[in-house]
Amino acid sequence: GQQVMQIPQYQHVQEGEDFTTYCNSSTTLSNIQWYKQRPGGHPVFLIQLVKSGEVKKQKRLTFQFGEAKKNSSLHITATQTTDVGTYFCAGSKASNTGKLIFGQGTTLQVKP
Amino acid sequence: IAGITQAPTSQILAAGRRMTLRCTQDMRHNAMYWYRQDLGLGLRLIHYSNTAGTTGKGEVPDGYSVSRANTDDFPLTLASAVPSQTSVYFCASSGLAGAGELFFGEGSRLTVL
């Protein structure tokens, strides 16, 4: 079945350092979404990528969708303590409407 | 405030008991989802519904059932709870099935003893 793998599982960085999490799918995706979950909270939508090779930026966050639409990445420049949380990617196959599958998540810790 | 409401927030349940987790949305979204979250495993899709009257199986459907009698409600039932169903359960909705932003509820923490 459809699988979405995310690495690394955990990342500890010093405040000001950069951070990247990677997402890989076993199948071609129609779109990929990214979510952030603060400790004790629920996932909150960050962005959706649809086009092959698409790059989107939100302030210090840069999101990429691979050319083959099987992988994606989230890069945070100059991390801040407010970036702490777990980042999830979630993908949907074109033929599996409704089956949005999440990766295992990357938990980011930022040391001040 | 518009959004998704889940109930109960937390529940301790004896193994073998029947339990229904409630989920209601007031955004008139077509699609609704149930995920369970376990440490190290992320969010796993249990069941989903593209529109009222239809449901589909996700990654881990065994031991769970859902219904979608109307647009707003999407209850999740555990017919006979087992300890492995101890988890945090999140309900979510989106305007378009398989695409578009998912809005999540606050979650229901279920412990099966």
Side-chain angles (χ1 to χ4, degrees):
Chain A
Q2 180 184 349
Q3 287 187 326
V4 178
M5 307 299 292
Q6 198 173 345
I7 56 170
Q9 188 173 1
Y10 298 99
Q11 186 80 54
H12 296 251
V13 300
Q14 196 72 37
E15 189 173 21
E17 292 181 340
D18 292 356
F19 159 77
T20 304
T21 174
Y22 301 91
C23 185
N24 292 286
S25 170
S26 57
T27 57
T28 302
L29 301 170
S30 64
N31 67 79
I32 196 152
Q33 301 177 9
W34 285 90
Y35 291 79
K36 177 182 179 181
Q37 184 178 25
R38 294 183 186 276
H42 60 275
V44 175
F45 176 82
L46 293 175
I47 206 161
Q48 176 173 281
L49 305 171
V50 178
K51 298 177 183 176
S52 169
E54 188 170 14
V55 178
K56 286 189 176 181
K57 292 190 176 184
Q58 288 180 349
K59 297 182 180 178
R60 294 177 295 104
L61 277 61
T62 301
F63 304 85
Q64 293 187 344
F65 200 9
E67 293 290 341
K69 300 184 75 174
K70 285 188 172 183
N71 56 73
S72 181
S73 65
L74 159 59
H75 180 81
I76 302 178
T77 303
T79 54
Q80 300 175 358
T81 55
T82 54
D83 295 325
V84 165
T86 301
Y87 293 86
F88 292 97
C89 63
S92 175
K93 282 175 62 176
S95 61
N96 282 3
T97 57
K99 292 186 78 169
L100 192 63
I101 305 299
F102 279 73
Q104 300 93 329
T106 297
T107 298
L108 174 65
Q109 297 281 2
V110 180
K111 300 176 221 176
Chain B
I1 298 176
I4 293 188
T5 303
Q6 289 186 236
T9 302
S10 179
Q11 182 79 46
I12 298 174
L13 188 67
R17 297 297 295 269
R18 180 183 180 89
M19 178 72 193
T20 296
L21 303 180
R22 301 183 297 279
C23 176
T24 299
Q25 54 108 353
D26 61 3
M27 297 174 282
R28 307 303 293 171
H29 282 170
N30 284 322
M32 297 188 75
Y33 313 80
W34 273 105
Y35 289 90
R36 60 177 289 176
Q37 184 170 31
D38 303 287
L39 194 64
L41 298 177
L43 292 151
R44 291 182 292 169
L45 181 64
I46 304 171
H47 285 287
Y48 64 95
S49 170
N50 289 338
T51 188
T54 69
T55 62
K57 293 182 179 180
E59 302 169 272
V60 289
D62 293 344
Y64 305 95
S65 64
V66 291
S67 61
R68 188 84 185 278
N70 57 61
T71 297
D72 298 342
D73 301 301
F74 192 43
L76 177 73
T77 298
L78 289 67
S80 179
V82 296
S84 61
Q85 293 177 311
T86 294
S87 187
V88 178
Y89 291 86
F90 286 101
C91 180
S93 72
S94 67
L96 184 62
E101 177 178 357
L102 258 63
F103 293 81
F104 282 84
E106 297 295 326
S108 295
R109 182 175 294 276
L110 182 66
T111 302
V112 182
L113 302 176

